[in-house]
Amino acid sequence: MAPKDGILAGVNLDWEHETLEQYASNLGKRPAVTVTFTDFPMSDTDTKNVDAAFEQIRANGGSMLLTLEPKQGLAAVTSEKADELASTLARFNNAGVSVIVRFAHEMNGSWYAWGQQPAEYVAAYQRVAGAVHSKATGSAMMWAPNYGGGYPFSGGQYEAVAGTPDFATLDTDKDGAITGADDPYAPYYPGDEAVDWVGMSLYHWGNTYPWGANVIPEPGKFIQQLTGTYNGAGGNDLAVPDFYTDYGVARNKPVAIPETAALTVASGEGADMLAIKGAWWGQLFDPAIPKNYPALKMINWFEWDKNEVEVKATVDWTATKDPQVREAYTAALPDWFTFAEAPAQCSPAETD
């Protein structure tokens, strides 16, 4: 599913405000990967929404990156629900749409109902992976933690509690506390057999906390965070492991950036929107990347304009909404980005 050469160019689409066809028309190209989110287990409404996303992808071309959010907790991720999911994915695959399942992303964070529960998370991931691998051969599994800068993200609702088995597992240096010195990735890794892709969301939120200022990203920030070498205005993150090497190169896994964008808010203060976004995608589109980081196989822009609680404001993450930004973004797209071809034909999907 990963290309031999080049990088898959994808999008996190705000389905309520834009169709895939509209986005592709604005971009002038068909994204190779389209991301959609759903609660898991899925309600009837969730199922209809995922089916609708599948139909758009089938009609326009490319693959689906399906992000599963177990908001009811990991105990709800039963073998029965995993099998149901795999049957749905097999139907999508048989209709010509490949799927990458990103299960319970950012599991090392403290803000999701599946966060900082390494044993239960790994078991649930393996449960889903087993079903997908056995029943949906055109699908794959992605493991995608949050970038480890700021770990253990203290203060979240689901922060690991001292004295519990999870706390002991996450205390990787065994000093009785969970700090930035502990490994933010390894306790959550489900194993090479269960994982097909490794991914990490990397955003430019700004340079200093509290977030929300319109600032141009520091040169080299993207690759430095991906490789555990960042030490800048956002803090000294040199204790963070080299995700690209440790989980991509060493394990022979394709590496994805399933979500990325650069923060701009409509305050009118600080740097210009185009300057901020252009500086960020300039790092993503650095011509040295295919040569120096050949395991990087997917980059998906987060095409949303949404309220962010961390900022207490609406953040414009988009690259194609503003005509001036869109023109600059499309002009900057590198020739080593891989886009989808138009489907040769569009036949009705089989039903169970």
Side-chain angles (χ1 to χ4, degrees):
M1 195 173 292
K4 180 180 179 181
D5 299 307
I7 294 176
L8 297 173
V11 62
N12 289 259
L13 197 63
D14 182 356
W15 299 93
E16 293 186 5
H17 295 93
E18 189 174 27
T19 67
L20 180 54
E21 184 178 11
Q22 290 169 332
Y23 173 79
S25 177
N26 283 335
L27 189 69
K29 298 179 183 293
R30 300 170 184 268
V33 180
T34 305
V35 182
T36 191
F37 290 74
T38 184
D39 290 3
F40 186 75
M42 290 186 280
S43 67
D44 290 343
T45 299
D46 295 326
T47 299
K48 291 176 182 177
N49 289 339
V50 171
D51 277 350
F54 151 71
E55 291 292 354
Q56 289 194 37
I57 295 168
R58 184 166 63 96
N60 284 274
S63 300
M64 173 187 287
L65 197 159
L66 179 61
T67 298
L68 302 180
E69 299 187 303
K71 294 177 182 176
Q72 301 173 39
L74 290 164
V77 183
T78 63
S79 295
E80 179 184 8
K81 294 302 179 182
D83 287 341
E84 289 177 5
L85 170 71
S87 295
T88 296
L89 300 184
R91 175 165 58 87
F92 293 175
N93 298 159
N94 291 337
V97 175
S98 58
V99 182
I100 301 172
V101 177
R102 180 172 58 151
F103 175 75
H105 66 305
E106 300 178 6
M107 78 303 297
N108 55 342
S110 61
W111 47 83
Y112 285 138
W114 55 89
Q116 300 201 355
Q117 302 158 56
E120 194 171 1
Y121 166 79
V122 166
Y125 186 106
Q126 292 174 344
R127 201 174 300 130
V128 172
V132 170
H133 287 154
S134 65
K135 294 187 175 183
T137 56
S139 296
M141 294 291 299
M142 179 183 289
W143 176 71
N146 192 62
Y147 170 60
Y151 188 77
F153 315 114
S154 301
Q157 181 179 353
Y158 300 98
E159 182 179 358
V161 177
T164 64
D166 284 333
F167 188 96
T169 299
L170 299 181
D171 178 18
T172 57
D173 63 6
K174 304 306 176 187
D175 68 348
I178 304 175
T179 69
D182 291 299
D183 194 314
Y185 307 136
Y188 307 92
Y189 188 65
D192 290 345
E193 290 187 5
V195 174
D196 303 303
W197 283 78
V198 296
M200 177 184 292
S201 299
L202 282 177
Y203 287 88
H204 171 62
W205 280 89
N207 288 342
T208 56
Y209 184 85
W211 313 120
N214 291 319
V215 293
I216 295 175
E218 302 157 279
K221 181 179 180 181
F222 168 68
I223 287 296
Q224 289 166 12
Q225 290 185 330
L226 182 61
T227 58
T229 57
Y230 178 75
N231 181 11
N236 183 340
D237 291 346
L238 295 179
V240 177
D242 180 346
F243 184 85
Y244 174 84
T245 299
D246 294 352
Y247 293 96
V249 176
R251 299 175 185 274
N252 196 29
K253 305 291 183 184
V255 178
I257 307 299
E259 302 176 34
T260 191
L263 177 146
T264 58
V265 295
S267 65
E269 300 176 357
D272 174 74
M273 176 171 65
L274 179 54
I276 295 169
K277 294 178 186 290
W280 187 245
W281 71 56
Q283 296 188 31
L284 304 178
F285 302 162
D286 185 334
I289 284 179
K291 178 181 178 181
N292 296 339
Y293 303 95
L296 183 58
K297 294 297 184 182
M298 180 193 300
I299 297 177
N300 304 330
W301 193 269
F302 192 73
E303 193 67 12
W304 282 67
D305 187 353
K306 65 189 287 281
N307 183 69
E308 297 288 1
V309 295
E310 296 91 342
V311 179
K312 299 182 176 64
T314 297
V315 175
D316 183 349
W317 298 108
T318 69
T320 65
K321 186 180 74 171
D322 178 272
Q324 183 184 16
V325 174
R326 178 172 67 241
E327 182 179 1
Y329 180 71
T330 55
L333 291 170
D335 58 8
W336 38 266
F337 255 22
T338 300
F339 293 91
E341 299 291 336
Q345 60 182 9
C346 186
S347 56
E350 297 179 3
T351 57
D352 295 333

